[in-house]
Every structure is written in structure tokens, then in C-alpha cells.
Amino acid sequence: MKKILVTGAGGFLGQRTAAYYASSYEVVPCTHQTLDITNEIAVHRLIAAEQPDFVLHCAAIADTGYAQAHPEVSEAVNLRGTVNLAKACATYDAKLVYMSSDQVYSGNTESFALPEEIPLSPNNIYGLHKLQAEKEAAACCPGAVALRLTWMYDLPSSPYKSSRNLLSNIDAASHTGTPLRGATHELRGITSVWEVISRFAACFALPGGVYNYGCENHLNTYETLCQAVQLFGADPATLVIADSEFCRNLSIDTTKLRSFGISFPNTIEGLRIALANKR
């Protein structure tokens, strides 16, 4: 069996990733208790001891609000931690696949789906540190693969670690009757976490570089939310309010990824597939 080392194995993405690949790979799950990715010496020691074939780096300070309020923590984890792993993977010849984010596009004002090569100027700390990590990781580990992930969700009934996501928000709203606000001037893809995880193995063969990774979406967030609520079995007329003030484009173009044979359903089709399991 090939060996995968998974960072962030106690988190929303990493916990599911470690469980998913446990039957097909030898998985080394690392939580922040077992590996401090901000400690370069500790990272090198662990990679040297485990000699993984692949490293799936899922650990992050993923709460953008927390990162904004605590930039020093975000820099240590999201930037320096990623670079520490990149250096170790380059030293010990492990293929690094790490999670970047569609938040690198947070400062873009274009109205179309955004390709990887478009000029970037993130307007939040999280996006800025993710972009810096991409650049520094590529410099020290050219074979590393950065995946720019969209917002992810899982079914509210999932036995794994929960997080605030599209379906958990809808589930909570359906129980409380409190409407959700959907931005009419926001574009973003939203992806099932299992669609994300199930394609990781295919990413091990990708050439080093940056890839948009997840569901494309031609609908605005208000339209997406209305359709998601309807698929969930609730009434969008009572659970969704249009918000015309918030404006943002995080919509990704996955042409580059598809050229390597890796594709995703669009956001609504992905929701339809995920919610078919709800019943």
C-alpha cells in the first residue's frame, strides 16, 4: 500500500479524508495535537520518520473572520505551516497536495468565472496568506499541487465533524423558521466535501501548479440558495431573502483541471446528488 499523510485529520475536511482513504492507502492521520505544522523541525522529523508517498495538507485556520482578527495565527498556520510541509516534501520526495482557496479571488471584480492565471489581489487576510503560500510552496517544492477549493458542505446528518455550511444553515433555518439571506450580486461555486475528497487520488498525478478545484456555478448565491432550499424539501419563499447589497465574485473556471480528466458536477447538480442520499 502507498502511504498518505493527512494533516488536519481532526477537522471538517481532514477527518473525512483520512476515513475515506483508509481502505485503499496506509493513512497517517495528523491532528494539531500530533503535529504542529508551524514547527519546521517537527514537520521535517515526522516526514522523515513516516516517509509518505503523498501528503494531503488539509490543516488550516479556515474561519476567514478569525483569520482577519488574528493575522499572526493565520500567517503561522496558513502560510508558514504550508511552506514547512513543502520544504519537507521536497527534501524527502513526497508528493504534496495542499488546500488553497477560492478566497484568493476575493479582491477580483470581474463578472465571469475566474481562471487560475488571472491577476489577484485578495482583500482578506485568509485569501492573502493562501496566495502567499501558493507562491512560496511552489518556489521550494515545484511538484506541489495547490487546489483552490470552494465552500464545501456535507449532510447535516453526517457522523463526522460538523461546520457551518450551506446545508447545515438550511437545516437550522428550516427548524427555526429564520430566513437566510442570499446575495444577488455574489457568484461562487459550492461543493460537496465528498466530491472534493473522492478526487484527491487523481490529483497525485497532476503536474505541480495551481488548480481551481470544485463545482462551477453560473447562478448567483440567491438563486443557488433558493434551489438548494427546494431540493432540501423546504419552501424558498419563506426561507430565503434576497440581499442586493453584498457583492463578490469567487466563481471558478475549472478548464485547467478538466484538461487532466478531473471534473465536477455544477453546484446544483452536486446538491441534487448529495441530497438524494438525504432521503
Side-chain angles (χ1 to χ4, degrees):
M1 269 191 178
K2 295 283 189 179
K3 182 186 287 190
I4 302 177
L5 187 145
V6 179
T7 69
F12 178 78
L13 177 60
Q15 185 184 61
R16 289 165 172 79
T17 298
Y20 184 89
Y21 286 105
S23 62
S24 51
Y25 291 84
E26 180 183 353
V27 175
V28 180
C30 298
T31 67
H32 66 270
Q33 288 91 357
T34 59
L35 175 64
D36 178 4
I37 63 170
T38 70
N39 184 327
E40 184 174 358
I41 293 174
V43 169
H44 276 258
R45 283 177 177 167
L46 184 64
I47 300 297
E50 293 291 349
Q51 292 291 311
D53 299 284
F54 311 107
V55 173
L56 281 171
H57 175 33
C58 303
I61 299 297
D63 184 322
T64 57
Y66 184 89
Q68 196 71 26
H70 303 85
E72 69 290 347
V73 180
S74 176
E75 180 177 8
V77 175
N78 295 331
L79 174 53
R80 298 271 70 88
T82 300
V83 174
N84 289 341
L85 282 158
K87 290 177 179 178
C89 286
T91 300
Y92 300 105
D93 197 28
K95 179 72 173 186
L96 174 62
V97 176
Y98 66 97
M99 308 308 126
S100 188
S101 172
D102 60 2
Q103 291 291 332
V104 300
Y105 300 116
S106 60
N108 285 71
T109 58
E110 296 84 359
S111 59
F112 51 82
L114 303 168
E116 292 86 348
E117 64 274 9
I118 200 164
L120 300 173
S121 182
N123 63 12
N124 61 55
I125 290 294
Y126 179 77
L128 177 62
H129 287 155
K130 285 292 188 178
L131 182 59
Q132 288 179 311
E134 288 180 2
K135 294 175 180 178
E136 293 191 32
C140 60
C141 186
V145 169
L147 304 177
R148 289 177 177 169
L149 270 57
T150 69
W151 192 24
M152 294 178 289
Y153 61 85
D154 198 0
L155 295 175
S157 59
S158 172
Y160 296 102
K161 182 180 176 67
S162 63
S163 73
R164 289 186 61 189
N165 62 74
L166 177 66
L167 294 188
S168 68
N169 290 348
I170 293 173
D171 185 55
S174 68
H175 283 93
T176 65
T178 304
L180 299 168
R181 303 185 73 85
T184 57
H185 298 298
E186 179 186 54
L187 298 171
R188 71 183 309 184
I190 310 173
T191 312
S192 164
V193 66
W194 296 107
E195 298 277 9
V196 166
I197 291 167
S198 65
R199 290 158 175 78
F200 278 159
C203 296
F204 297 150
L206 289 173
V210 176
Y211 301 84
N212 286 335
Y213 189 84
C215 293
E216 295 184 350
N217 192 10
H218 67 280
L219 302 176
N220 65 44
T221 297
Y222 171 74
E223 295 166 331
T224 300
L225 187 54
C226 286
Q227 292 204 31
V229 166
Q230 193 166 22
L231 288 168
F232 197 81
D235 182 7
T238 59
L239 277 193
V240 185
I241 297 173
D243 179 356
S244 60
E245 295 182 4
F246 188 65
C247 183
R248 181 171 66 171
N249 181 17
L250 302 179
S251 180
I252 59 172
D253 179 335
T254 61
T255 300
K256 180 179 177 182
L257 189 71
R258 293 197 305 273
S259 73
F260 290 95
I262 304 173
S263 62
F264 287 82
N266 66 41
T267 291
I268 298 303
E269 183 57 28
L271 281 162
R272 187 174 287 112
I273 293 167
L275 287 169
N277 299 321
K278 173 176 175 282
R279 300 177 179 84

